[in-house]
Amino acid sequence: MTRKMGTLLLASAGLAAMGFAGAVTAQSANGFAEQVERGRQTYAAQCAMCHGADLAGGQFAGALKGGAFLGKWGEVPAAELFDYIHRSMPPGGSSALDEGDYFDLTALILSENGVTGETALGFAGGQFADPQLPAAPPAEEGNELAIGGITDRYPFPAAPEPVDRFANYTPVTEAMLSDPAPENWLSWRRGHEGHGYSPLAQITPENIATMQVAWSQALPPGATMNEPLVRDGVLYVFGFGDSVFAFDAATGRQLWRYDRRLPDDVAPLSKKAIALYGDKLYVATSDNALVALDARSGRPVWDVKVTDRAGMRSNGGPLAADGVIMTGLATQEPGGGIIAAFDAETGEHLWTFDTVAKTGTEGGDTWNRVPDEERRGGSVWTSGTYDAETGLALWGVAQTYDTGPYRDALPGANNDGLFTNSTLAFVPRTGELKWYYQHMPNDQYDLDWVFERVIGDLDVNGERRHVVMTGGKEGLFDTLDASTGEYISTVDMGFQDFITAIDPVTGRKSVDPTKLPGRDKPSVFMCPHAGGGRNWSPTAFNEASGTLFVNARDTCMELRPVAEGGFLSSGVNVFYSAPEGSDGNFGFVQAIDMASGEVKWETRRRAPYDMGMLATASGLLFTGGMDGDFLAYRQDNGAQVWRSALTGVPNGSPITYAVDGKQYVAVVAGAGNPLSFGLPGFTPELATPAVPSAAITVFALPE
């Protein structure tokens, strides 16, 4: 139910929408009457100055009881009222009170509007439940009270009617996701193929100098790495604390908000991706659930637990394809990561895949005879892509920190450690693993290959091939046949120094044995650092030119042996280092011809990049750095053509879209991912902001 409260348009979805295991309902832990009396005291201290001493309205705010109030809130569950005041009150200090205070205030308002009861309001399982506010008396509905009301002596001029962005809503289809309309950004990296490329060309290298802020909205402060989605003039974004927002993409007007109430022992995590499919928006939550929201209202449609396994975390986000919602989870606990799939319409669980192979299954004999219950790694902390041509969902898997048991192969044993550092190709509906390819077996360096899988067509030895491309932290990018996983080629960005050979047929990589670390070895100096090199910041791919754009950090590391423990269980700790002969410019962007392997150009700057890449049909390339700069370059030569300072550190990848024929560029800021902290020992003058903040900022050309 969308209700207008003064000038605020809200779409309250209540505590059930906030995603706790229930809504506001009656419990016996405390009496309702006691809550009302406590609420009266809290109200006198916090609310009476605006709403009046007896809730009848004051100089600065309207009544909280009677016909005018019930005309807006009558027959609404208490959950929605609780949700609203918890989120919005006191003005400028939302959620500033203790949670119990908000329950007490809700009880007071219910009581003042005729609701009675014996047991207190609280959390319980189930959906919305009584009590709810009564309907307004017909004779009073809509009549404002004298204090704090609005006189009808002189009629107000008609208010402009906001555009109804959902008026002609149609379901998001498979075809739309595989080939989005130019004005839309429908999935992580814009479309199923993961290009991060838009056909929009209104903003060009020639006119971008005039681009300015069109609108901006604050988001909950905290780590915010989300890449927003845009569908037909509506922008969706995931905020810290598991809040989801829908904004008018042209004006920034909030259309609805969903808040999930996380258990006390769950730390909120940012999510790189959310997903649209049909009439729903899908969100992976920090308490390891998958939630389907009505894309038009933000109300939950279904809410399912992905896993009950302890130590699992959700960082990447869902992939929607073929009527299935897939999501991956990360962990350092025994058992390894998982990828799970659910029916898009019902939330029914379809399958779960263990990314650490177990005995008796494919790859189960590649763990150096370590027992299943001791195998770790295989985290999935990036979303997947989908190839409509082959019907396969492509996912990346990370390494293991538990390197010690696998460093040296036992006689007759295999220590590759499947499916770490692999690409996995699934049939979405059944979970059948059609093929896999391990890019870096037995990773002893924490150099993940978990990142985006880019699907496209590429000229290979004079033949047009349908391929998937992906890269690891070491700056190597493998190209595989998208149908079979057959190895085709590898491109080297040129900063790694520990892989000495790559088999031209299989792509298997050989490591310099003198750079193999361990407790029984001397210190090892190598490039890049375990944090990359390239890292989670997604690439952008211009298929027409076959060019992949990637940013990275020019860093190295020393792996020092320790007597006990160690960051890696082989017995080493990791120390940052600048490369030998460094010029002090640690961030760089490269344009790579993926057919030839040639690096077309490289541009460098002192502040490391921590934002994904966005390429457009006009020849522009967008990215950003940990110093708060949002930057645009020319795709043809890497020349910087535009810069804007953001209020926070950009983390999520930028996107572009159009509404009513006007192109916009949007970026999310909110420090928190490891790259956003930069390299403090390298660039001490580039401190992260002292005041945490998060926001979405949208740019456009002036009218």
Side-chain angles (χ1 to χ4, degrees):
M1 180 179 295
T2 300
R3 296 193 166 265
K4 206 149 195 169
M5 294 287 293
T7 58
L8 175 66
L9 183 71
L10 69 115
S12 291
L15 291 184
M18 294 162 73
F20 197 81
V24 170
T25 186
Q27 291 191 18
S28 58
N30 237 331
F32 181 76
E34 287 84 355
Q35 276 190 324
V36 170
E37 289 310 308
R38 289 196 304 269
R40 205 175 299 281
Q41 297 174 32
T42 302
Y43 178 88
Q46 301 287 342
C47 315
M49 185 177 69
C50 293
H51 289 280
D54 59 356
L55 285 73
Q59 182 179 358
F60 303 110
L64 298 177
K65 65 180 181 180
F69 175 75
L70 292 175
K72 297 164 182 157
W73 284 93
E75 300 182 287
V76 172
E80 299 202 17
L81 178 63
F82 176 94
D83 183 15
Y84 173 66
I85 62 176
H86 191 286
R87 190 164 65 201
S88 307
M89 298 294 160
S94 58
S95 300
L97 306 180
D98 290 339
E99 189 165 85
D101 292 333
Y102 289 106
F103 277 120
D104 296 344
L105 288 169
T106 303
L108 173 65
I109 295 171
L110 289 169
S111 176
E112 289 289 321
N113 285 280
V115 176
T116 60
E118 295 182 0
T119 52
L121 303 179
F123 293 126
Q127 299 299 314
F128 285 136
D130 288 334
Q132 68 179 29
L133 290 155
E140 296 183 34
E141 187 171 347
N143 294 333
E144 293 287 355
L145 297 182
I147 302 174
I150 298 175
T151 177
D152 58 3
R153 179 182 292 271
Y154 300 112
F156 277 83
E161 191 68 28
V163 177
D164 184 354
R165 296 293 181 191
F166 300 117
N168 300 307
Y169 189 92
T170 56
V172 175
T173 66
E174 202 77 45
M176 293 175 186
L177 290 166
S178 295
D179 185 18
E183 66 271 18
N184 288 332
W185 193 279
L186 289 184
S187 68
W188 184 62
R189 311 313 296 137
R190 185 172 179 270
H192 266 156
E193 295 182 326
H195 288 186
Y197 174 90
S198 170
L200 296 178
Q202 188 179 91
I203 301 170
T204 70
E206 291 71 34
N207 64 23
I208 193 173
T210 64
M211 191 169 76
Q212 60 192 27
V213 174
W215 62 267
S216 183
Q217 282 278 10
L219 298 173
T224 309
M225 301 168 61
N226 189 243
E227 180 177 305
L229 304 182
V230 176
R231 168 79 192 294
D232 293 349
V234 178
L235 184 147
Y236 303 93
V237 65
F238 183 99
F240 185 72
D242 288 35
S243 294
V244 183
F245 298 83
F247 296 112
D248 185 311
T251 67
R253 178 173 61 94
Q254 183 177 308
L255 304 177
W256 57 256
R257 174 177 174 173
Y258 163 88
D259 290 301
R260 186 168 187 82
R261 183 159 298 279
L262 297 171
D264 291 340
D265 60 348
V266 172
L269 296 170
S270 186
K271 307 290 181 291
K272 299 178 183 69
I274 50 181
L276 281 167
Y277 196 90
D279 58 357
K280 300 176 186 65
L281 179 74
Y282 298 90
V283 179
T285 70
S286 298
D287 55 343
N288 295 334
L290 189 63
V291 179
L293 305 176
D294 187 310
R296 295 156 294 190
S297 68
R299 291 182 179 273
V301 178
W302 53 257
D303 183 333
V304 298
K305 196 74 172 175
V306 177
T307 182
D308 289 318
R309 280 175 50 187
M312 306 292 280
R313 64 188 187 278
S314 173
N315 303 87
L319 166 66
D322 194 25
V324 177
I325 311 301
M326 293 156 276
T327 192
L329 295 180
T331 185
Q332 295 182 33
E333 298 300 315
I338 63 171
I339 300 168
F342 301 83
D343 183 84
E345 189 61 29
T346 66
E348 177 191 0
H349 176 253
L350 300 176
W351 53 266
T352 295
F353 182 87
D354 285 337
T355 58
V356 168
K358 306 301 190 294
T359 303
T361 67
E362 180 79 30
D365 59 352
T366 64
W367 284 84
N368 214 22
R369 301 197 188 112
V370 170
D372 290 352
E373 62 273 15
E374 297 178 15
R375 300 176 183 182
R376 302 170 186 255
S379 287
V380 183
W381 49 269
T382 300
S383 192
T385 49
Y386 176 71
D387 185 359
E389 184 171 320
T390 64
L392 298 176
L394 302 169
W395 287 83
V397 182
Q399 71 339 321
T400 180
Y401 295 101
D402 189 21
T403 53
Y406 314 105
R407 193 192 70 176
D408 303 310
L410 297 174
N414 183 314
N415 63 345
D416 286 351
L418 285 170
F419 296 93
T420 61
N421 285 347
S422 297
T423 295
L424 307 179
F426 296 103
V427 177
R429 177 59 58 174
T430 65
E432 178 187 0
L433 182 64
K434 281 291 189 181
W435 60 260
Y436 66 88
Y437 181 84
Q438 190 173 38
H439 302 274
M440 187 67 196
N442 188 20
D443 178 1
Q444 291 289 312
Y445 306 97
D446 182 28
L447 293 172
D448 315 41
W449 284 71
V450 71
F451 312 109
E452 72 284 355
R453 270 55 188 162
V454 179
I455 302 157
D457 293 336
L458 201 65
D459 290 327
V460 179
N461 298 324
E463 179 187 358
R464 196 70 171 168
R465 298 281 298 272
H466 188 56
V467 302
V468 56
M469 298 162 281
T470 193
K473 285 182 181 176
E474 55 265 71
L476 299 178
F477 281 83
D478 286 349
T479 299
L480 311 174
D481 184 279
S483 298
T484 65
E486 175 194 2
Y487 173 78
I488 295 175
S489 64
T490 300
V491 172
D492 191 339
M493 294 180 68
F495 54 79
Q496 69 84 22
D497 66 359
F498 71 104
I499 294 174
T500 57
I502 301 175
D503 188 293
V505 176
T506 66
R508 191 172 180 96
K509 300 161 184 71
S510 299
V511 173
D512 183 344
T514 68
K515 293 186 181 293
L516 195 64
R519 204 182 314 275
D520 57 345
K521 303 261 186 182
S523 292
V524 171
F525 182 84
M526 58 170 286
C527 304
H529 183 270
R534 76 77 50 112
N535 203 305
W536 78 267
S537 305
T539 57
F541 181 59
N542 184 331
E543 190 171 34
S545 65
T547 306
L548 189 76
F549 301 97
V550 58
N551 63 41
R553 305 188 301 175
D554 196 6
T555 63
C556 300
M557 66 178 169
E558 184 176 353
L559 298 165
R560 294 180 185 172
V562 292
E564 294 182 4
F567 173 71
L568 300 175
S569 68
S570 53
V572 294
N573 282 334
V574 179
F575 294 83
Y576 272 106
S577 174
E580 183 179 3
S582 172
D583 63 358
N585 290 312
F586 300 107
F588 65 98
V589 174
Q590 286 186 357
I592 304 172
D593 185 320
M594 290 302 292
S596 68
E598 173 195 3
V599 176
K600 295 181 175 181
W601 54 258
E602 178 179 294
T603 185
R604 302 176 71 90
R605 70 194 300 261
R606 182 159 173 77
Y609 297 93
D610 69 340
M611 179 192 242
M613 310 295 292
L614 162 66
T616 72
S618 68
L620 284 170
L621 183 69
F622 293 89
T623 189
M626 56 73 55
D627 55 352
D629 277 1
F630 185 33
L631 305 161
Y633 300 91
R634 294 184 64 101
Q635 289 180 35
D636 55 2
N637 60 21
Q640 183 180 315
V641 293
W642 180 84
R643 169 192 170 275
S644 180
L646 300 172
T647 57
V649 178
N651 281 320
S653 301
I655 69 167
T656 188
Y657 60 89
V659 182
D660 300 327
K662 186 178 182 68
Q663 184 181 357
Y664 298 85
V665 178
V667 58
V668 166
N673 85 75
L675 294 186
S676 69
F677 301 126
L679 301 168
F682 289 40
T683 57
E685 78 283 8
L686 299 175
T688 54
V691 178
S693 66
I696 180 166
T697 304
V698 178
F699 298 85
L701 298 176
E703 297 293 342

